[in-house]
Amino acid sequence: MKRVLFYAPEDIRVEDGPIPVPGPGEVVVRNKVTLTCGTDVKTYKRGYRYEPPFSMGHEAAGVVHAVGEGVTKFKVGDRVVAHNSAPCGKCYYCKKGLHSMCPDLIQNQFKNGAYAQYQLIPAPIVEQNMFHMPDTMSYKQAALLEPLACAVYGTANVPIELGDTVCVNGCGPIGLMFIRMCYLRGAHVIACDMSDTRLEVAKKLGAQEVINIKNVPDQAQAVKDLTEDGRGVDAAIEAAGIPEVWTIAMNMARPGGFVLCFGGTKKGLTVPVDTTKLHYEQITIKGVFHTTPVHVNAAFEMLKMNAISADDFVQNEYPIEDIEKAILEHASGAVIKNCIVYPED
């Protein structure tokens, strides 16, 4: 089978490899589509936490090719989508309900290898975070499960009341999903980005106002100017993964407001915090990472309801041999996402 392996920054290769054989509780899926994402871009440019070479990709959907011993919920030929992780349910963090902090999830499961014709799905994911696709659901729609689950989890951590004003900073795929989820929760949404194309999609997904940050001298002030009495937003969401945007988000929140820092930054970076603002204005700043099985399930239900549509998120199709082109086009901002498609054997 064809698969993509990461060797070094800007060195990814399409190679032949054996079709995986499922062990107990595992499933092998013949992928139909794999979507590009921001994590793929960051991995391509600077690597990841694993020692190379390692497999890439984590947003895919396909058909069950083989099942391991003990698997009863799925059979060969089923149309399925699997999330890219599942907690162990046994560690300290799982018992505390902090499933995204599970060491097993963080250390062992993020290198699933969705950029491949066939993909091995680990037993914990099969048990907790793998789903039968409805006949009416496209593979592209299903493959949005992982990023939407992250946006659902992130939004669930923001105390949004009906009519609150929320600013989403960064209109990449995750940011756009945040916009949609906040809109569905009854928020008045302001969207910030430097791409007019992405801002148009933001409006379609529910943003009442948009700001192209290239056109304003002070992004935080431009956002505050759109709020009553210029007091700032009830909640600011950072979805760009840029430290400077973390600071900007903090500066646009009203007294007593909430700031969600969701975009992952390069390791070792720090962000200055105005201690006077933090203390006297009682700002709450929270970091949120990844998602949990509860929110994965909720995201799948949202996909079935067509709360978001692949038509708004997935633009161009490429064969696996053009993986680098697909990722670089994603990185350029010319598209929201691209799609790798696989021919029939």
Side-chain angles (χ1 to χ4, degrees):
M1 69 168 187
K2 300 289 185 182
R3 60 181 179 176
V4 174
L5 293 177
F6 174 95
Y7 280 86
E10 300 185 10
D11 181 9
I12 59 175
R13 308 173 194 176
V14 178
E15 299 182 351
D16 288 317
I19 296 175
V21 177
E26 298 176 339
V27 168
V28 173
V29 173
R30 176 164 55 86
N31 285 331
K32 291 289 190 176
V33 302
T34 307
L35 307 184
T36 61
C37 81
T39 299
D40 299 332
V41 172
K42 289 187 286 188
T43 299
Y44 172 81
K45 290 184 176 181
R46 66 184 189 223
Y48 202 59
R49 66 185 77 200
Y50 303 115
E51 197 66 31
F54 57 81
S55 53
M56 291 180 61
H58 56 271
E59 299 179 16
V63 176
V64 173
H65 171 74
V67 299
E69 180 183 355
V71 175
T72 58
K73 293 197 297 183
F74 302 97
K75 65 182 187 303
V76 173
D78 285 348
R79 300 170 73 247
V80 296
V81 60
H83 189 62
N84 74 323
S85 71
C88 71
K90 303 174 184 177
C91 69
Y92 171 85
Y93 296 99
C94 285
K95 291 177 181 178
K96 280 284 191 179
L98 300 170
H99 296 104
S100 64
M101 298 292 99
C102 172
D104 183 67
L105 175 152
I106 295 170
Q107 294 169 9
N108 298 325
Q109 293 180 35
F110 285 169
K111 49 180 178 180
N112 287 352
Y115 287 125
Q117 290 176 291
Y118 295 85
Q119 181 181 357
L120 179 68
I121 310 299
I125 298 176
V126 172
E127 181 62 29
Q128 299 179 62
N129 284 337
M130 186 167 165
F131 303 91
H132 291 277
M133 293 169 50
D135 293 340
T136 55
M137 182 180 285
S138 71
Y139 291 108
K140 291 179 184 178
Q141 178 82 352
L144 291 169
L145 176 65
E146 190 274 341
L148 183 59
C150 292
V152 169
Y153 179 49
T155 308
N157 277 273
V158 182
I160 298 174
E161 300 287 342
L162 291 172
D164 277 355
T165 300
V166 177
C167 181
V168 177
N169 297 279
C171 294
I174 292 287
L176 292 171
M177 291 177 182
F178 268 114
I179 289 167
R180 187 62 176 165
M181 293 303 106
C182 291
Y183 169 79
L184 292 175
R185 286 185 59 182
H188 179 105
V189 182
I190 302 168
C192 294
D193 200 270
M194 62 175 60
S195 165
D196 287 330
T197 299
R198 290 183 172 185
L199 290 172
E200 283 301 314
V201 180
K203 287 192 286 186
K204 183 177 180 180
L205 294 176
Q208 278 74 49
E209 282 107 11
V210 298
I211 296 173
N212 188 316
I213 61 176
K214 294 186 297 185
N215 300 333
V216 295
D218 186 330
Q219 180 179 339
Q221 187 59 50
V223 170
K224 294 175 77 172
D225 288 344
L226 294 174
T227 65
E228 187 177 3
D229 300 325
R231 63 174 173 256
V233 295
D234 299 292
I237 296 173
E238 188 285 325
I242 301 172
E244 291 80 5
V245 182
W246 288 38
T247 301
I248 291 168
M250 295 175 199
N251 289 333
M252 66 176 60
R254 64 161 170 80
F258 186 94
V259 179
L260 177 73
C261 298
F262 194 88
T265 65
K266 188 175 180 180
K267 185 177 180 179
L269 299 180
T270 59
V271 174
V273 176
D274 183 337
T275 55
T276 299
K277 182 177 181 67
L278 181 68
H279 177 70
Y280 288 101
E281 295 188 12
Q282 297 185 185
I283 302 295
T284 298
I285 303 170
K286 184 170 185 177
V288 172
F289 166 69
H290 200 48
T291 191
T292 78
V294 169
H295 300 93
V296 174
N297 185 76
F300 188 61
E301 292 301 316
M302 299 295 281
L303 289 172
K304 289 195 290 186
M305 294 162 53
N306 292 311
I308 65 171
S309 170
D311 292 341
D312 294 321
F313 284 86
V314 185
Q315 277 73 56
N316 299 323
E317 296 183 355
Y318 291 96
I320 193 171
E321 291 79 8
D322 288 338
I323 179 62
E324 188 171 17
K325 182 178 180 180
I327 289 176
L328 289 174
E329 187 176 43
H330 181 127
S332 73
V335 299
I336 306 301
K337 283 181 174 289
N338 280 326
C339 179
I340 301 300
V341 294
Y342 304 91
E344 296 292 336
D345 292 340

